[in-house]
Amino acid sequence: MLLAMYEDPHDKTTLGLWGRIACVWAVAFAVLHFYWALGGSWGLSVSAGPLAEERPGWFVVVGLWGVGLLCLVGGVLGWLLARPRPRGLAGRVVKALGWCVCAVLLGRVPGSDHCWVKSLRRSGSGR
């Protein structure tokens, strides 16, 4: 399994492919959140449930504009991960941010009963 995941650093065709895919995906989600924040409704009820109909101010500001901006930050991070990392502190910061985002996204699997955040809430240790 590990051999299948190995990426040859000399193979220029796949170098950074996953970072570019993450960048495009994050920007697509940002565009969708900005569309919703500007009043669009296509697909919002699936994502937000009853909040899609009510659209309270905090939801528009934090849940739509805020998440859209976070998606753009994720797009920049994906773009940085697709490029050859600089040496030193800057390279370590980009790598650490990539791993942190990975951990957060793995912990937030929507609708999953295996989500560790839901497990903590059920057990009472997440309070």
Side-chain angles (χ1 to χ4, degrees), residues 105-127:
L105 292 175
L106 284 174
R108 196 220 173 291
V109 179
S112 171
D113 288 331
H114 303 293
C115 177
W116 64 270
V117 174
K118 286 184 181 181
S119 299
L120 284 176
R121 287 185 188 147
R122 275 189 234 127
S123 69
S125 36
R127 294 178 193 188

Side-chain angles (χ1 to χ4, degrees), residues 7 28-29 38-39 41 52-53 56 93 109 116 121:
E7 185 174 313
F29 266 84
L38 291 171
S41 60
E53 295 297 323
V93 168
V109 179
W116 64 270
R121 287 185 188 147

